[in-house]
Amino acid sequence: ATRAAVAYARELGRTVTFDPNLRLPLWPSPAEARAQILWSLCQADVVKLSDEEVDFLWGCSPQEGARRLREECGVALAMITLGPQGCYLENARGACRVPAPAVRPVDTTGAGDIFGGSAVAKLLALDTPPAELEPGALEGIARFAVTAASLSTLRPGGISSIPTEAEVLAALEE
């Protein structure tokens, strides 16, 4: 089903995003997880990985993982989350590393998904192909997404912890 959905999206000229959310107990083996994730990465235009997923896949730094995504998989925009350290974004026009706001987390459930969703929402609002984003636009996406993810850790739960756009924008102004 996934392969058919990717082929259909490609036929329609749609941007394909991917976030593997690696959960090893759900796979028959780490080798099978790695093989399927690597196939999926090479189908995507925009990828969000955690630093732990980069380590699992390649055993390298987040920056090297982003380079591999772009050069080996043809990914237009690589987004690597770094937990409380923030994030790293890279495309053909530039890269940025943005620190996370200092918070006292209550629950980190869903923070990575909130980062990814917030980043993709900002990307879509810019209406610019991911490979053509200038460094300033990358930084704007990264700041918004890392702030949204950080704010989400201040409340318990996943969906219930998603901050509003107004909350994120207010935090960015502080």
Side-chain angles (χ1 to χ4, degrees):
T2 299
R3 291 174 191 254
V6 168
Y8 183 65
R10 288 279 179 228
E11 267 181 46
L12 297 177
R14 304 292 188 210
T15 298
V16 176
T17 65
F18 181 57
D19 174 0
N21 275 318
L22 177 64
R23 304 292 182 267
L24 282 176
L26 301 177
W27 291 92
S29 71
E32 178 68 15
R34 186 174 188 277
Q36 293 301 321
I37 290 170
L38 287 172
W39 177 87
S40 298
L41 293 173
C42 293
Q43 309 310 306
D45 302 297
V46 177
V47 168
K48 182 258 174 210
L49 291 177
S50 69
D51 51 354
E52 293 94 357
E53 290 164 337
V54 169
D55 186 56
F56 169 75
L57 292 168
W58 299 296
C60 64
S61 71
Q63 292 81 4
E64 176 66 11
R67 184 198 63 78
R68 290 185 78 157
L69 283 168
R70 289 191 331 91
E71 293 178 5
E72 296 173 15
C73 298
V75 169
L77 174 58
M79 304 185 297
I80 313 295
T81 57
L82 310 170
Q85 302 306 310
C87 65
Y88 178 81
L89 272 64
E90 181 179 313
N91 74 355
R93 294 190 179 210
C96 67
R97 185 175 179 142
V98 173
V103 296
R104 295 187 120 154
V106 172
D107 184 0
T108 61
T109 302
D113 294 323
I114 292 166
F115 175 93
S118 298
V120 170
K122 282 298 170 193
L123 171 65
L124 293 173
L126 291 173
D127 197 30
T128 301
E132 296 177 18
L133 293 168
E134 297 294 337
L138 288 177
E139 187 172 334
I141 290 169
R143 287 198 183 289
F144 186 87
V146 79
T147 300
S150 293
L151 291 175
S152 78
T153 69
L154 299 176
R155 302 179 205 152
I159 293 174
S160 62
S161 71
I162 299 171
T164 65
E165 183 177 26
E167 289 172 315
V168 177
L169 293 174
L172 285 167
E173 291 178 4
E174 293 177 357

